[in-house]
């Protein structure tokens, strides 16, 4: 089996995934989660520990990969950039009547958590002011940029 030290918020899901990926029964995969502090989303898509596990299995020796702050920043995935197109209608007294929202999100080259982020951005479109009617649409765009992921706020901050 394998033992993986991984800063994960979802160790049981990670165990299922790694067992399937490495062709092992789940009881042969052990996930140890060290004290990790805040994540703000960045630990949802880490893959360094999977690379270390694959190397360890191939070499039949323990493998440890440690990233310094610079390496962590250049290998991490950025927050999902969102562009909003908003039309707002108000009555004569200045009360909001409707909001029509279109959100465009840059997923980068592949999907991690960007669908969840754009979904939140679209469905939380009425979270500051009260509108009688809200319509929203979201478009997830695939580009040649680095894959994007969730960060703290998960579509709310934008």
């Amino acid at each position: 089996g394998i033992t993986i030290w991984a800063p994960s918020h979802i160790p049981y899901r990670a165990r299922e995934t790694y067992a399937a990926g490495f062709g092992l029964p789940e009881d042969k995969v052990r996930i140890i989660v060290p004290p990790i502090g805040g994540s703000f989303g960045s630990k949802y898509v880490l893959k360094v520990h999977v690379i270390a596990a694959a190397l360890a299995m191939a070499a039949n020796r323990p493998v440890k990969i440690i990233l310094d702050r610079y390496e962590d920043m250049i290998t991490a995935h950025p927050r999902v950039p969102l562009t909003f197109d908003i039309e707002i209608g108000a009555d004569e007294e200045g009360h909001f009547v409707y909001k029509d929202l279109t959100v465009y999100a840059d997923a980068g080259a592949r999907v991690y958590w960007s669908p969840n982020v754009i979904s939140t951005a679209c469905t939380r479109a009425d979270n500051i002011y009260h509108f009688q009617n809200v319509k929203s649409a979201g478009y997830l765009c695939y580009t040649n940029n680095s894959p994007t992921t969730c960060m703290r706020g998960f579509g709310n901050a934008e």
Side-chain angles (χ1 to χ4, degrees), residues 20-154:
F22 289 117
L24 297 169
E26 281 185 42
D27 64 349
K28 295 296 182 188
V29 178
R30 182 176 179 213
I31 306 291
I32 298 174
V33 179
I36 59 174
S39 166
F40 312 111
S42 62
K43 292 183 178 71
Y44 281 111
V45 294
L46 284 176
K47 47 194 170 301
V48 173
H49 50 278
V50 178
I51 294 167
L55 291 170
M57 290 179 73
N60 201 27
R61 308 249 326 137
V63 172
K64 182 177 186 177
I65 299 174
I66 299 175
L67 303 178
D68 63 25
R69 192 158 188 78
Y70 173 77
E71 292 165 332
D72 180 61
M73 291 302 211
I74 64 169
T75 60
H77 301 290
R79 180 184 292 268
V80 180
L82 301 176
T83 301
F84 293 84
D85 184 9
I86 304 171
E87 180 180 312
I88 295 175
D91 62 18
E92 292 81 22
E93 288 88 38
H95 300 110
F96 294 128
V97 178
Y98 74 90
K99 179 193 277 187
D100 188 349
L101 171 69
T102 304
V103 183
Y104 301 92
D106 182 350
R110 61 185 171 277
V111 170
Y112 284 122
W113 286 85
S114 52
N116 303 71
V117 172
I118 193 170
S119 174
T120 301
C122 286
T123 58
R124 296 292 303 267
D126 191 19
N127 62 356
I128 296 177
Y129 300 103
H130 176 71
F131 291 89
Q132 293 175 11
N133 302 288
V134 176
K135 174 185 162 191
S136 63
Y139 298 93
L140 190 57
C141 306
Y142 297 94
T143 66
N144 290 330
N145 294 328
S146 178
T148 60
T149 192
C150 58
M151 296 289 171
R152 188 176 193 168
F154 235 77

Side-chain angles (χ1 to χ4, degrees), residues 7-23:
S8 174
H9 292 292
I10 48 174
Y12 296 102
R13 175 61 57 90
R15 182 179 167 193
E16 293 171 4
T17 303
Y18 302 148
F22 289 117

